[in-house]
Amino acid sequence: MPTHAIPERAVLPVGTDSTIVPVRVLADDGETAQVLIEGCGIHLRQGQIHDVASTDLRRWPVS
């Protein structure tokens, strides 16, 4: 079950829609987090692994 989420723009170029997708954090050193996408957004798909800034992580569910 996902406990975090990221906006798609954390992975994709600036100007990309900011759809929020649920993720599982695989590693986080406080600067960069490796995440497993656990849902689908407009561009991101379940099962993908990406590195994002730790500051882009949000608690899931996002209110």
Side-chain angles (χ1 to χ4, degrees):
M1 173 180 272
T3 58
H4 290 83
I6 59 168
E8 284 190 291
R9 67 175 173 249
V11 174
L12 302 168
V14 174
T16 303
D17 192 3
S18 61
T19 301
I20 304 297
V21 294
V23 299
R24 181 184 317 158
V25 178
L26 302 175
D28 185 1
D29 65 9
E31 192 170 310
T32 303
Q34 185 178 58
V35 298
L36 171 67
I37 306 299
E38 292 210 328
C40 289
I42 295 171
H43 304 283
L44 299 179
R45 295 292 176 250
Q46 186 175 16
Q48 294 176 328
I49 296 175
H50 293 282
D51 292 329
V52 300
S54 296
T55 55
D56 287 324
L57 293 174
R58 302 178 183 184
R59 295 308 254 163
W60 182 261
V62 177
S63 52

Short mmCIF file of all heavy atoms in Angstrom, two decimals:
data_model
loop_
_atom_site.label_atom_id
_atom_site.label_comp_id
_atom_site.label_asym_id
_atom_site.label_seq_id
_atom_site.Cartn_x
_atom_site.Cartn_y
_atom_site.Cartn_z
N MET A 1 0.85 -1.19 0.00
CA MET A 1 0.00 0.00 0.00
C MET A 1 0.89 1.24 0.00
O MET A 1 1.81 1.35 0.79
CB MET A 1 -0.91 0.00 1.22
CG MET A 1 -1.69 1.28 1.36
SD MET A 1 -2.78 1.32 2.77
CE MET A 1 -4.21 0.60 2.03
N PRO A 2 0.63 2.19 -0.91
CA PRO A 2 1.46 3.39 -0.96
C PRO A 2 1.28 4.24 0.29
O PRO A 2 0.19 4.30 0.85
CB PRO A 2 0.96 4.12 -2.19
CG PRO A 2 -0.39 3.59 -2.45
CD PRO A 2 -0.43 2.19 -1.90
N THR A 3 2.35 4.84 0.72
CA THR A 3 2.29 5.76 1.86
C THR A 3 2.71 7.16 1.46
O THR A 3 2.61 8.08 2.26
CB THR A 3 3.20 5.28 3.00
OG1 THR A 3 4.54 5.18 2.51
CG2 THR A 3 2.74 3.95 3.54
N HIS A 4 3.20 7.31 0.24
CA HIS A 4 3.63 8.60 -0.26
C HIS A 4 3.10 8.83 -1.67
O HIS A 4 2.59 7.92 -2.30
CB HIS A 4 5.16 8.69 -0.28
CG HIS A 4 5.76 8.75 1.08
ND1 HIS A 4 6.00 7.63 1.83
CD2 HIS A 4 6.16 9.80 1.83
CE1 HIS A 4 6.53 7.99 2.99
NE2 HIS A 4 6.64 9.30 3.01
N ALA A 5 3.26 10.06 -2.14
CA ALA A 5 2.86 10.43 -3.49
C ALA A 5 3.82 11.48 -4.00
O ALA A 5 4.52 12.13 -3.21
CB ALA A 5 1.43 10.98 -3.50
N ILE A 6 3.88 11.63 -5.31
CA ILE A 6 4.68 12.68 -5.93
C ILE A 6 3.87 13.32 -7.06
O ILE A 6 3.02 12.67 -7.66
CB ILE A 6 6.01 12.14 -6.52
CG1 ILE A 6 5.76 11.07 -7.58
CG2 ILE A 6 6.94 11.66 -5.42
CD1 ILE A 6 6.97 10.70 -8.41
N PRO A 7 4.15 14.58 -7.36
CA PRO A 7 3.57 15.17 -8.56
C PRO A 7 4.36 14.65 -9.77
O PRO A 7 5.58 14.44 -9.68
CB PRO A 7 3.77 16.67 -8.37
CG PRO A 7 4.93 16.78 -7.44
CD PRO A 7 4.91 15.55 -6.58
N GLU A 8 3.70 14.42 -10.88
CA GLU A 8 4.40 13.92 -12.07
C GLU A 8 5.53 14.85 -12.50
O GLU A 8 6.55 14.39 -13.01
CB GLU A 8 3.42 13.73 -13.22
CG GLU A 8 2.57 12.49 -13.07
CD GLU A 8 1.79 12.18 -14.31
OE1 GLU A 8 0.87 12.96 -14.63
OE2 GLU A 8 2.11 11.16 -14.96
N ARG A 9 5.40 16.14 -12.26
CA ARG A 9 6.45 17.07 -12.68
C ARG A 9 7.76 16.85 -11.93
O ARG A 9 8.79 17.39 -12.30
CB ARG A 9 5.97 18.51 -12.57
CG ARG A 9 5.74 18.98 -11.17
CD ARG A 9 5.39 20.48 -11.15
NE ARG A 9 5.01 20.86 -9.83
CZ ARG A 9 3.80 21.20 -9.45
NH1 ARG A 9 2.83 21.24 -10.34
NH2 ARG A 9 3.53 21.52 -8.22
N ALA A 10 7.75 16.04 -10.84
CA ALA A 10 8.99 15.72 -10.13
C ALA A 10 9.89 14.85 -10.99
O ALA A 10 11.11 14.83 -10.81
CB ALA A 10 8.67 14.99 -8.82
N VAL A 11 9.31 14.13 -11.96
CA VAL A 11 10.06 13.23 -12.83
C VAL A 11 10.20 13.81 -14.23
O VAL A 11 11.21 13.65 -14.90
CB VAL A 11 9.36 11.86 -12.92
CG1 VAL A 11 10.03 10.95 -13.92
CG2 VAL A 11 9.29 11.20 -11.55
N LEU A 12 9.17 14.50 -14.69
CA LEU A 12 9.08 14.96 -16.06
C LEU A 12 9.48 16.43 -16.19
O LEU A 12 9.60 17.12 -15.19
CB LEU A 12 7.65 14.74 -16.56
CG LEU A 12 7.20 13.28 -16.49
CD1 LEU A 12 5.71 13.18 -16.71
CD2 LEU A 12 7.96 12.44 -17.50
N PRO A 13 9.67 16.92 -17.41
CA PRO A 13 10.09 18.31 -17.61
C PRO A 13 9.13 19.33 -17.02
O PRO A 13 7.94 19.07 -16.87
CB PRO A 13 10.12 18.44 -19.13
CG PRO A 13 10.16 17.07 -19.67
CD PRO A 13 9.49 16.19 -18.66
N VAL A 14 9.68 20.47 -16.70
CA VAL A 14 8.88 21.59 -16.19
C VAL A 14 7.80 21.90 -17.22
O VAL A 14 8.02 21.82 -18.41
CB VAL A 14 9.77 22.82 -15.95
CG1 VAL A 14 8.95 24.02 -15.58
CG2 VAL A 14 10.80 22.51 -14.88
N GLY A 15 6.62 22.24 -16.73
CA GLY A 15 5.50 22.53 -17.62
C GLY A 15 4.57 21.35 -17.79
O GLY A 15 3.52 21.46 -18.36
N THR A 16 4.98 20.19 -17.26
CA THR A 16 4.15 19.00 -17.32
C THR A 16 3.02 19.13 -16.30
O THR A 16 3.20 19.73 -15.25
CB THR A 16 4.99 17.75 -17.00
OG1 THR A 16 6.07 17.69 -17.91
CG2 THR A 16 4.18 16.48 -17.08
N ASP A 17 1.87 18.57 -16.62
CA ASP A 17 0.74 18.57 -15.69
C ASP A 17 1.20 18.08 -14.33
O ASP A 17 2.10 17.26 -14.22
CB ASP A 17 -0.35 17.66 -16.25
CG ASP A 17 -1.66 17.80 -15.51
OD1 ASP A 17 -1.75 18.64 -14.60
OD2 ASP A 17 -2.60 17.07 -15.86
N SER A 18 0.59 18.56 -13.27
CA SER A 18 1.02 18.21 -11.92
C SER A 18 0.13 17.16 -11.28
O SER A 18 -0.18 17.23 -10.10
CB SER A 18 1.07 19.46 -11.04
OG SER A 18 -0.21 20.05 -10.96
N THR A 19 -0.29 16.16 -12.04
CA THR A 19 -1.07 15.06 -11.49
C THR A 19 -0.29 14.39 -10.37
O THR A 19 0.92 14.18 -10.48
CB THR A 19 -1.37 14.03 -12.61
OG1 THR A 19 -2.07 14.68 -13.65
CG2 THR A 19 -2.18 12.86 -12.09
N ILE A 20 -0.96 14.03 -9.29
CA ILE A 20 -0.33 13.38 -8.15
C ILE A 20 -0.49 11.87 -8.30
O ILE A 20 -1.59 11.39 -8.56
CB ILE A 20 -0.98 13.84 -6.82
CG1 ILE A 20 -0.92 15.38 -6.70
CG2 ILE A 20 -0.32 13.17 -5.64
CD1 ILE A 20 0.45 15.97 -6.65
N VAL A 21 0.61 11.13 -8.14
CA VAL A 21 0.55 9.67 -8.25
C VAL A 21 1.10 9.03 -6.97
O VAL A 21 2.06 9.52 -6.38
CB VAL A 21 1.33 9.14 -9.48
CG1 VAL A 21 0.69 9.58 -10.76
CG2 VAL A 21 2.77 9.58 -9.45
N PRO A 22 0.48 7.94 -6.52
CA PRO A 22 0.96 7.24 -5.33
C PRO A 22 2.25 6.48 -5.64
O PRO A 22 2.42 5.95 -6.74
CB PRO A 22 -0.17 6.29 -4.98
CG PRO A 22 -0.90 6.07 -6.27
CD PRO A 22 -0.74 7.32 -7.06
N VAL A 23 3.16 6.46 -4.66
CA VAL A 23 4.44 5.78 -4.82
C VAL A 23 4.81 5.03 -3.54
O VAL A 23 4.30 5.32 -2.46
CB VAL A 23 5.59 6.77 -5.15
CG1 VAL A 23 5.33 7.49 -6.45
CG2 VAL A 23 5.83 7.76 -4.02
N ARG A 24 5.71 4.07 -3.70
CA ARG A 24 6.33 3.42 -2.55
C ARG A 24 7.79 3.88 -2.55
O ARG A 24 8.48 3.80 -3.57
CB ARG A 24 6.28 1.91 -2.67
CG ARG A 24 6.93 1.22 -1.45
CD ARG A 24 7.00 -0.27 -1.56
NE ARG A 24 5.76 -0.81 -2.08
CZ ARG A 24 5.68 -2.00 -2.66
NH1 ARG A 24 6.74 -2.75 -2.81
NH2 ARG A 24 4.52 -2.44 -3.11
N VAL A 25 8.27 4.37 -1.41
CA VAL A 25 9.65 4.83 -1.31
C VAL A 25 10.54 3.61 -1.11
O VAL A 25 10.38 2.86 -0.14
CB VAL A 25 9.81 5.83 -0.15
CG1 VAL A 25 11.27 6.27 -0.02
CG2 VAL A 25 8.91 7.05 -0.36
N LEU A 26 11.48 3.42 -2.03
CA LEU A 26 12.41 2.31 -1.95
C LEU A 26 13.67 2.69 -1.18
O LEU A 26 14.26 1.86 -0.49
CB LEU A 26 12.79 1.82 -3.35
CG LEU A 26 11.61 1.38 -4.23
CD1 LEU A 26 12.11 1.05 -5.64
CD2 LEU A 26 10.89 0.20 -3.61
N ALA A 27 14.10 3.94 -1.32
CA ALA A 27 15.28 4.45 -0.61
C ALA A 27 15.16 5.97 -0.55
O ALA A 27 14.59 6.59 -1.45
CB ALA A 27 16.55 4.05 -1.35
N ASP A 28 15.70 6.54 0.51
CA ASP A 28 15.68 8.00 0.67
C ASP A 28 16.85 8.41 1.56
O ASP A 28 16.90 8.03 2.73
CB ASP A 28 14.36 8.46 1.28
CG ASP A 28 14.22 9.97 1.36
OD1 ASP A 28 15.15 10.69 0.93
OD2 ASP A 28 13.18 10.43 1.85
N ASP A 29 17.78 9.15 0.99
CA ASP A 29 18.94 9.60 1.76
C ASP A 29 18.77 11.02 2.29
O ASP A 29 19.70 11.63 2.80
CB ASP A 29 20.23 9.48 0.94
CG ASP A 29 20.27 10.40 -0.27
OD1 ASP A 29 19.37 11.27 -0.42
OD2 ASP A 29 21.21 10.26 -1.08
N GLY A 30 17.55 11.56 2.17
CA GLY A 30 17.27 12.90 2.63
C GLY A 30 17.44 13.95 1.55
O GLY A 30 17.00 15.09 1.70
N GLU A 31 18.09 13.58 0.47
CA GLU A 31 18.28 14.49 -0.67
C GLU A 31 17.58 13.94 -1.92
O GLU A 31 16.89 14.67 -2.61
CB GLU A 31 19.77 14.65 -0.94
CG GLU A 31 20.08 15.77 -1.89
CD GLU A 31 21.57 16.06 -1.93
OE1 GLU A 31 22.17 16.21 -0.86
OE2 GLU A 31 22.11 16.10 -3.04
N THR A 32 17.78 12.66 -2.18
CA THR A 32 17.18 12.00 -3.33
C THR A 32 16.46 10.74 -2.86
O THR A 32 16.99 9.99 -2.04
CB THR A 32 18.25 11.61 -4.37
OG1 THR A 32 18.95 12.79 -4.76
CG2 THR A 32 17.62 10.97 -5.60
N ALA A 33 15.26 10.53 -3.39
CA ALA A 33 14.49 9.33 -3.05
C ALA A 33 14.29 8.50 -4.31
O ALA A 33 14.05 9.04 -5.39
CB ALA A 33 13.13 9.71 -2.47
N GLN A 34 14.41 7.19 -4.16
CA GLN A 34 14.07 6.28 -5.25
C GLN A 34 12.68 5.76 -4.96
O GLN A 34 12.42 5.25 -3.87
CB GLN A 34 15.07 5.12 -5.32
CG GLN A 34 14.83 4.21 -6.50
CD GLN A 34 15.87 3.11 -6.57
OE1 GLN A 34 16.01 2.34 -5.63
NE2 GLN A 34 16.57 3.05 -7.69
N VAL A 35 11.77 5.92 -5.95
CA VAL A 35 10.38 5.56 -5.73
C VAL A 35 9.88 4.59 -6.79
O VAL A 35 10.31 4.62 -7.93
CB VAL A 35 9.46 6.81 -5.70
CG1 VAL A 35 9.83 7.74 -4.56
CG2 VAL A 35 9.50 7.56 -7.02
N LEU A 36 8.95 3.74 -6.38
CA LEU A 36 8.25 2.82 -7.26
C LEU A 36 6.85 3.39 -7.48
O LEU A 36 6.12 3.61 -6.51
CB LEU A 36 8.15 1.43 -6.62
CG LEU A 36 7.27 0.40 -7.32
CD1 LEU A 36 7.86 0.02 -8.68
CD2 LEU A 36 7.10 -0.83 -6.44
N ILE A 37 6.48 3.64 -8.72
CA ILE A 37 5.16 4.19 -9.02
C ILE A 37 4.12 3.09 -8.78
O ILE A 37 4.23 2.00 -9.30
CB ILE A 37 5.08 4.68 -10.49
CG1 ILE A 37 6.21 5.67 -10.82
CG2 ILE A 37 3.70 5.28 -10.79
CD1 ILE A 37 6.22 6.93 -10.00
N GLU A 38 3.13 3.39 -7.94
CA GLU A 38 2.12 2.39 -7.59
C GLU A 38 0.74 2.70 -8.15
O GLU A 38 -0.21 1.99 -7.87
CB GLU A 38 2.05 2.23 -6.06
CG GLU A 38 3.31 1.60 -5.52
CD GLU A 38 3.06 0.80 -4.27
OE1 GLU A 38 2.17 1.16 -3.49
OE2 GLU A 38 3.77 -0.20 -4.09
N GLY A 39 0.63 3.73 -8.93
CA GLY A 39 -0.62 4.07 -9.58
C GLY A 39 -0.30 4.59 -10.97
O GLY A 39 0.82 4.44 -11.44
N CYS A 40 -1.25 5.17 -11.62
CA CYS A 40 -1.02 5.72 -12.95
C CYS A 40 -1.39 7.20 -12.95
O CYS A 40 -2.36 7.60 -12.32
CB CYS A 40 -1.88 5.01 -13.99
SG CYS A 40 -1.35 3.33 -14.31
N GLY A 41 -0.59 7.97 -13.64
CA GLY A 41 -0.90 9.37 -13.86
C GLY A 41 -1.16 9.56 -15.33
O GLY A 41 -1.55 8.62 -16.03
N ILE A 42 -0.90 10.74 -15.82
CA ILE A 42 -1.05 11.00 -17.25
C ILE A 42 0.13 10.40 -18.01
O ILE A 42 -0.03 9.82 -19.07
CB ILE A 42 -1.18 12.51 -17.51
CG1 ILE A 42 -2.48 13.01 -16.88
CG2 ILE A 42 -1.14 12.83 -19.00
CD1 ILE A 42 -2.63 14.50 -16.87
N HIS A 43 1.34 10.53 -17.44
CA HIS A 43 2.55 10.06 -18.11
C HIS A 43 3.24 8.90 -17.38
O HIS A 43 3.90 8.10 -18.02
CB HIS A 43 3.55 11.21 -18.27
CG HIS A 43 2.98 12.38 -18.99
ND1 HIS A 43 2.81 12.41 -20.36
CD2 HIS A 43 2.51 13.57 -18.54
CE1 HIS A 43 2.26 13.57 -20.71
NE2 HIS A 43 2.08 14.28 -19.63
N LEU A 44 3.13 8.86 -16.07
CA LEU A 44 3.79 7.81 -15.29
C LEU A 44 2.89 6.59 -15.18
O LEU A 44 1.67 6.72 -15.07
CB LEU A 44 4.15 8.33 -13.89
CG LEU A 44 5.11 9.52 -13.86
CD1 LEU A 44 5.36 9.95 -12.42
CD2 LEU A 44 6.42 9.18 -14.55
N ARG A 45 3.50 5.42 -15.16
CA ARG A 45 2.75 4.17 -15.11
C ARG A 45 3.23 3.29 -13.96
O ARG A 45 4.40 3.31 -13.57
CB ARG A 45 2.91 3.39 -16.42
CG ARG A 45 2.31 4.09 -17.62
CD ARG A 45 0.78 4.13 -17.50
NE ARG A 45 0.18 4.88 -18.58
CZ ARG A 45 -0.41 6.07 -18.41
NH1 ARG A 45 -0.46 6.63 -17.23
NH2 ARG A 45 -0.96 6.68 -19.43
N GLN A 46 2.32 2.51 -13.44
CA GLN A 46 2.60 1.59 -12.35
C GLN A 46 3.79 0.69 -12.69
O GLN A 46 3.90 0.19 -13.81
CB GLN A 46 1.37 0.73 -12.07
CG GLN A 46 1.50 -0.16 -10.87
CD GLN A 46 0.21 -0.89 -10.58
OE1 GLN A 46 -0.69 -0.97 -11.40
NE2 GLN A 46 0.11 -1.43 -9.39
N GLY A 47 4.68 0.52 -11.72
CA GLY A 47 5.83 -0.35 -11.89
C GLY A 47 7.11 0.37 -12.27
O GLY A 47 8.19 -0.20 -12.15
N GLN A 48 7.02 1.62 -12.71
CA GLN A 48 8.23 2.37 -13.05
C GLN A 48 8.98 2.76 -11.78
O GLN A 48 8.36 2.98 -10.73
CB GLN A 48 7.89 3.64 -13.82
CG GLN A 48 7.30 3.40 -15.19
CD GLN A 48 6.89 4.71 -15.86
OE1 GLN A 48 6.49 5.67 -15.21
NE2 GLN A 48 6.98 4.73 -17.18
N ILE A 49 10.30 2.84 -11.87
CA ILE A 49 11.14 3.30 -10.76
C ILE A 49 11.83 4.58 -11.20
O ILE A 49 12.39 4.64 -12.30
CB ILE A 49 12.15 2.23 -10.35
CG1 ILE A 49 11.42 1.00 -9.81
CG2 ILE A 49 13.13 2.78 -9.31
CD1 ILE A 49 12.31 -0.17 -9.48
N HIS A 50 11.79 5.61 -10.34
CA HIS A 50 12.40 6.90 -10.66
C HIS A 50 13.11 7.46 -9.42
O HIS A 50 12.73 7.15 -8.29
CB HIS A 50 11.33 7.90 -11.10
CG HIS A 50 10.68 7.56 -12.39
ND1 HIS A 50 11.29 7.79 -13.61
CD2 HIS A 50 9.48 7.01 -12.66
CE1 HIS A 50 10.48 7.38 -14.57
NE2 HIS A 50 9.37 6.90 -14.02
N ASP A 51 14.10 8.30 -9.67
CA ASP A 51 14.74 9.08 -8.62
C ASP A 51 14.13 10.47 -8.63
O ASP A 51 14.00 11.09 -9.70
CB ASP A 51 16.24 9.17 -8.85
CG ASP A 51 16.94 7.84 -8.68
OD1 ASP A 51 16.46 7.02 -7.87
OD2 ASP A 51 17.96 7.62 -9.35
N VAL A 52 13.74 10.96 -7.45
CA VAL A 52 13.16 12.29 -7.31
C VAL A 52 13.79 12.98 -6.10
O VAL A 52 14.36 12.33 -5.24
CB VAL A 52 11.62 12.24 -7.13
CG1 VAL A 52 10.96 11.58 -8.32
CG2 VAL A 52 11.23 11.51 -5.86
N ALA A 53 13.65 14.28 -6.04
CA ALA A 53 14.11 15.02 -4.87
C ALA A 53 13.27 14.62 -3.66
O ALA A 53 12.05 14.48 -3.78
CB ALA A 53 14.00 16.52 -5.12
N SER A 54 13.91 14.43 -2.53
CA SER A 54 13.18 14.05 -1.31
C SER A 54 12.10 15.07 -0.96
O SER A 54 11.06 14.72 -0.40
CB SER A 54 14.15 13.89 -0.14
OG SER A 54 15.05 12.84 -0.40
N THR A 55 12.32 16.33 -1.32
CA THR A 55 11.34 17.38 -1.01
C THR A 55 10.06 17.25 -1.83
O THR A 55 9.06 17.88 -1.51
CB THR A 55 11.96 18.77 -1.24
OG1 THR A 55 12.46 18.84 -2.58
CG2 THR A 55 13.08 19.04 -0.25
N ASP A 56 10.08 16.43 -2.90
CA ASP A 56 8.88 16.22 -3.71
C ASP A 56 7.94 15.18 -3.12
O ASP A 56 6.80 15.05 -3.58
CB ASP A 56 9.26 15.80 -5.14
CG ASP A 56 9.81 16.95 -5.95
OD1 ASP A 56 9.33 18.08 -5.77
OD2 ASP A 56 10.73 16.71 -6.75
N LEU A 57 8.39 14.43 -2.12
CA LEU A 57 7.53 13.41 -1.50
C LEU A 57 6.42 14.06 -0.68
O LEU A 57 6.66 15.02 0.05
CB LEU A 57 8.35 12.49 -0.59
CG LEU A 57 9.38 11.60 -1.26
CD1 LEU A 57 10.19 10.87 -0.21
CD2 LEU A 57 8.71 10.62 -2.20
N ARG A 58 5.24 13.51 -0.80
CA ARG A 58 4.08 13.95 0.00
C ARG A 58 3.48 12.72 0.66
O ARG A 58 3.61 11.61 0.18
CB ARG A 58 3.03 14.59 -0.90
CG ARG A 58 3.56 15.77 -1.67
CD ARG A 58 2.49 16.32 -2.57
NE ARG A 58 3.03 17.41 -3.36
CZ ARG A 58 2.34 18.14 -4.18
NH1 ARG A 58 1.05 17.90 -4.35
NH2 ARG A 58 2.89 19.12 -4.86
N ARG A 59 2.78 12.92 1.76
CA ARG A 59 2.08 11.82 2.42
C ARG A 59 0.89 11.41 1.58
O ARG A 59 0.25 12.24 0.96
CB ARG A 59 1.63 12.21 3.82
CG ARG A 59 2.76 12.49 4.79
CD ARG A 59 3.77 11.39 4.85
NE ARG A 59 3.65 10.64 6.07
CZ ARG A 59 4.20 9.45 6.23
NH1 ARG A 59 4.86 8.90 5.27
NH2 ARG A 59 4.08 8.82 7.35
N TRP A 60 0.59 10.12 1.55
CA TRP A 60 -0.56 9.60 0.83
C TRP A 60 -1.55 9.07 1.84
O TRP A 60 -1.13 8.40 2.78
CB TRP A 60 -0.11 8.48 -0.14
CG TRP A 60 -1.22 7.90 -0.95
CD1 TRP A 60 -1.89 6.75 -0.69
CD2 TRP A 60 -1.79 8.44 -2.13
NE1 TRP A 60 -2.84 6.53 -1.64
CE2 TRP A 60 -2.81 7.55 -2.54
CE3 TRP A 60 -1.56 9.58 -2.88
CZ2 TRP A 60 -3.57 7.77 -3.68
CZ3 TRP A 60 -2.34 9.80 -4.01
CH2 TRP A 60 -3.32 8.90 -4.39
N PRO A 61 -2.83 9.27 1.75
CA PRO A 61 -3.48 10.02 0.68
C PRO A 61 -3.27 11.51 0.84
O PRO A 61 -3.16 12.01 1.98
CB PRO A 61 -4.95 9.65 0.82
CG PRO A 61 -5.13 9.27 2.24
CD PRO A 61 -3.80 8.71 2.69
N VAL A 62 -3.21 12.21 -0.28
CA VAL A 62 -3.02 13.66 -0.29
C VAL A 62 -4.37 14.30 -0.07
O VAL A 62 -5.34 13.96 -0.72
CB VAL A 62 -2.42 14.10 -1.64
CG1 VAL A 62 -2.30 15.62 -1.68
CG2 VAL A 62 -1.08 13.43 -1.87
N SER A 63 -4.42 15.23 0.88
CA SER A 63 -5.71 15.89 1.16
C SER A 63 -5.78 17.26 0.54
O SER A 63 -4.83 17.81 0.10
CB SER A 63 -5.93 16.00 2.65
OG SER A 63 -4.83 16.59 3.27
#
